[in-house]
Amino acid sequence: PYDAIFLGAVGMPSRAPDSETLRPLIEMRQNFDQYACLRPAWSFPGVPSPLANAKAVDMLVVRENSEGEYVDCGGRLKKGTPDEVAVQTAVHSRKGVERVLRFALEQARTRPRRRLTMATKSNAQRHAMVMWDDILDDLAQHYPDVDINREHIDALCMKLVLQPEAYDVIVASNLFGDILTDLSGAVVGGLGLNPSANLNPERTFPSLFEPVHGSAPDIAGKGIANPVAALL
């Protein structure tokens, strides 16, 4: 019955661990098939960047939002003992990867620079990330008008600090996209400027809109929280 969901920042680690308070958000993203998370980062006039000689930034990060590293697949054995073992398994499906890559490529087509960078780590993650690489190669032939490349996540993080203005659309897995968008917010002046749209592009379920940042309980009551990300 609803077209969209607006979510305020959640979390209060002093009362409940983030692994519990963020669970409902992750479940909404997955159950409503909000597989494309759009997180833009812009330079705003008058907002200083922490970078020396900063140039204007206008980038869009497309994060795979429904599977990957945030699927609740794993467990802990012999918890709290010296023999404890934890297993956390990422789940990447061809369907999930292909649809978010195609969505990101379509986004790149609408922007002046028409450039797409995919975050990978296929030199170390020889199964999931190599599959991401292969699917991107398969799709690239259908987008000759888009400048397509891929970079390893560690090098990409470094370059986002050194030359953030060089990037247009970045597409990444759930975990990689989460990390990159904290960084993209920081280079343009802070996470208080970054909005997030968790989209179900087919509109079979409602999409969800939120700020990128968390609830920031360390500054609660000080009158310095930035509402811009929630408004954007």
Side-chain angles (χ1 to χ4, degrees), residues 23 26-37 63-72 91-93 95-97 99-100 172-174 198-199:
R23 191 73 233 159
I26 294 173
E27 289 177 352
M28 279 193 287
R29 291 169 174 169
Q30 294 172 349
N31 292 333
F32 290 148
D33 205 22
Q34 298 164 352
Y35 63 85
C37 180
R63 169 189 176 189
E64 199 295 311
N65 210 37
S66 65
E67 52 180 45
E69 303 88 348
Y70 288 7
V71 172
D72 190 11
V91 177
H92 303 268
S93 68
K95 174 185 175 181
V97 174
R99 67 183 182 177
V100 79
S173 72
N174 213 331
N198 303 272
L199 301 182

Side-chain angles (χ1 to χ4, degrees), residues 187-207:
V187 299
V188 297
L191 280 180
L193 300 171
N194 281 45
S196 177
N198 303 272
L199 301 182
N200 173 252
E202 292 75 25
R203 297 191 176 185
T204 52
F205 297 99
S207 295

Side-chain angles (χ1 to χ4, degrees), residues 2 22 26 36 60 71 79-80 112 116 123 149 186 188 193 216:
Y2 299 104
L22 290 180
I26 294 173
L60 175 66
V71 172
K79 187 176 179 180
L116 179 98
N123 59 343
N149 66 91
V188 297
L193 300 171

Side-chain angles (χ1 to χ4, degrees), residues 216-232:
D218 56 316
I219 61 172
K222 296 181 179 179
I224 59 174
N226 190 342
V228 170
L231 297 174
L232 290 175

Side-chain angles (χ1 to χ4, degrees), residues 90-158:
V91 177
H92 303 268
S93 68
R94 174 169 281 272
K95 174 185 175 181
V97 174
E98 181 174 330
R99 67 183 182 177
V100 79
L101 289 180
R102 192 181 296 276
F103 184 88
L105 285 160
E106 292 293 340
Q107 291 295 309
R109 261 185 174 166
T110 68
R111 293 166 64 90
R113 288 187 285 176
R114 294 192 174 193
R115 186 176 187 208
L116 179 98
T117 302
M118 189 189 81
T120 186
K121 192 57 181 170
S122 51
N123 59 343
Q125 295 184 331
R126 297 173 51 243
H127 305 299
M129 285 296 112
V130 170
M131 185 179 78
W132 275 75
D133 289 358
D134 289 346
I135 296 172
L136 181 67
D137 290 342
D138 291 343
L139 291 175
Q141 61 184 313
H142 302 292
Y143 293 87
D145 53 327
V146 179
D147 180 12
I148 300 170
N149 66 91
R150 56 178 177 258
E151 296 188 14
H152 293 307
I153 183 64
D154 44 353
L156 180 54
C157 286
M158 176 187 69

